Each structure stands twice: as structure tokens, then as C-alpha cells.
Amino acid sequence: MTTGTQAAPTAAPDGPIVDLRGRRGLVVGIANAQSIAAGCAAAFTAAGARLAATYLDARAEPYVRAVTDRLGCDLVLPCDVRVDGQLDAVFDAVRAAWGRLDFVLHSIAFAPRDDLHGRVTDCSAAGFATAMDISCHSFIRMARLAEPLMTRGGCLLTVTFYGSERVVEHYNLMGPVKAALESSMRYVAAELGPKGIRAHAISPGPMRTRAASGIDRFDELLDRAAAAAPEHQLVEPADIGALAAFLASDAARHITGTVIPVDGGQHLLA
Ligand code: NAD
């Protein structure tokens, strides 16, 4: 950004606009090759970044390694954000390997099935707290742990859904949880902005992933999205990856605190 009366001359970029060469990022949320986080990790590495990635537990590890081996991730570590010390251990390993960090993708969500399938009006305190802890507060924890490692500034990304703003049938408890996630992202962006750390929430249209299969009648949501979106097409993890790589790059250096839909225009319609 230029201050003063005279604008600086516009220099033509001497490389690709989205350039993550020399950048190091942490990706949390790959479950398998269909995960939104897998699409993002592929885009980050295509733009030249080196990555650390995590898997939930031993059962998930082989599916995650199938992705991380193909992408050549530097570090692949266990991380269940509910297990004491595991998230801290991930950031300790990043510090030991790289000494710094440039971007983090938080692409995780969970709600207990009974609470997710019932009315918000009926959800239990325990179910609500679990969903908020895994899907929202873990983003705040990641921001706090990333802050001292983002010595040259950085970018924190999370993934939300339109059900935060409007009532989407069967999205239920995840609606208020995503609303809290988006608001947390905005406060983090404001608080860490002075250190050059930016934050965003990407809001994809529905796509068939492991997490999505937990939403009741998800196929109907997909059909409605494809019918309603002006493009009449569903989005894919690679579409989210393209935006994530741009946001993590210097090309987006003055953009922070946004919720950006990648949904073929579905959000435009009442
Ligand atoms: P996914 O199942 O591939 O990914 C969800 C991830 O959350 C998994 O990797 C899982 O291991 C992780 N997770 C769950 N509990 C965890 C815990 N305790 N600790 C650490 N990780 C945990 O599904 P996805 O659709 O790629 O979901 C990624 C994000 O995208 C979620 O926040 C989801 O709400 C959001 N999203 C999905 C859609 C969609 O239609 N698929 C649309 C909009 C937003």
C-alpha cells in the first residue's frame, strides 16, 4: 500500500502472481484425497510451498500419507485437537524443522451425530461445546501457536459454510459454530494485523467429503446447490485450493479478515 499523494509506479511481477516458493505452511484437515485440505495442499505445493501436514489418528494415517507422500510434505504428524499436547507438539516440530512458519490452513470440523441431526433448539451443552472446541476454538489455538513463528508476517486460513449466515436445512448445529468461527477469524485478523499476519475464512459450496457425509440428506443439499448456483456446477477441492494459495501469497498481502464464497454464485440467491 502506498501513502502520500504520489502513487508508486506499478512494477510488473517478474514471476507468477501466486508464488509460494520459499514459503512454509501447515495444513490441518486432510482425511483423504477428497478432503478440501488435500485440494489446498496440492495448490500450495504447485505454487512452490513446502508443507507440514497432520493426520487425526492411526486409522486415518495411511489415507493421509497417500496424499502427503504424493506431494512430498516435509513433516507428517499426528494431531487430534482434543488430545492434550498434540497441537502444541505439531508447532514444536515445525519450529524445530523450519524455525518459522508462513501460513496455516485450518480445515477441520466435527459435531456429535445426535446433536448434528437434531434441532439447534434441542442440542446438548456437551455436544455444542465439543463442536465449538474442535471446529472453532482450535482455530484460535492455532493462531496463538502460529503467531511467534510468523516472524515475517503470515496467513491463517479456515473453512466455513454459508449455513453460518442463513438457515440451511439439515446444517443445524454447524450453523452457529461456523458463525462463531467467522467472527473469531475477524478478531484474530484485527489483533494480529499489526504483525503482518492476515486471516480469512473460505466458504465453499457443498462437496462430497467424509465430513459432509455426516450431514443429514447431504445429497439433497448438493442437488439444490447445483440447481441454484448461477453456474449450475458444484465446486471441487481444487477450486478452494486455488483461492487458498492466492490468499497465502504476497499477491493478497493487503487483504485480510474476509469470508470469501467459492460456490459458483449460490450465495447470491435468496
Ligand atoms: P473431511 O472429512 O475431508 O475433513 C474434515 C477434517 O476434520 C478431517 O481431516 C478430520 O480428521 C478433521 N477432524 C475432525 N475432528 C478432528 C479433531 N478432533 N482433531 C483434528 N482434526 C479433526 O471434510 P471436508 O469437507 O474437507 O472438511 C473440511 C472443512 O471444510 C470443515 O471445516 C468443513 O466444515 C468445511 N466445509 C465443507 C464443505 C463440504 O461440503 N464438504 C462445505 C463448506 C465447508
Side-chain angles (χ1 to χ4, degrees), residues 110-119 123-124 126-128 130-131 170-174 211 213-217:
F110 176 81
R113 194 173 186 281
D114 286 351
D115 292 289
L116 182 61
H117 286 190
R119 303 186 307 174
C123 85
S124 68
F128 188 83
T130 299
H170 308 300
Y171 201 59
N172 303 348
L173 168 60
M174 285 312 293
S213 66
I215 310 266
D216 209 11
R217 303 204 199 166

Side-chain angles (χ1 to χ4, degrees), residues 27-31 36-37 54-56 79-82 87 105-111 131-139 141-142 157-160 174 177-178 181 211:
V27 173
V28 179
I30 302 174
I36 290 171
T54 66
Y55 54 88
L56 180 65
C79 181
D80 180 336
V81 297
R82 295 285 273 177
L87 189 60
L105 174 73
H106 168 280
S107 184
I108 67 175
F110 176 81
M132 283 291 277
D133 182 48
I134 295 176
S135 318
C136 175
H137 190 260
S138 61
F139 175 70
R141 299 204 286 282
M142 286 183 206
L157 299 172
T158 187
V159 188
T160 185
M174 285 312 293
V177 170
K178 291 298 194 189
L181 176 66

Side-chain angles (χ1 to χ4, degrees), residues 91 95 99-101 142-152 195 197:
F91 281 83
R95 182 186 296 107
R100 50 173 262 266
L101 190 59
M142 286 183 206
R144 186 164 60 237
L145 289 163
E147 181 184 3
L149 291 174
M150 291 187 164
T151 49
R152 306 175 191 175
K195 295 187 170 173
I197 300 173

Side-chain angles (χ1 to χ4, degrees), residues 14 19 57 88 116 139 189 195 221 265:
D14 54 7
D19 185 357
D57 53 21
D88 301 75
L116 182 61
F139 175 70
K195 295 187 170 173
L221 191 63

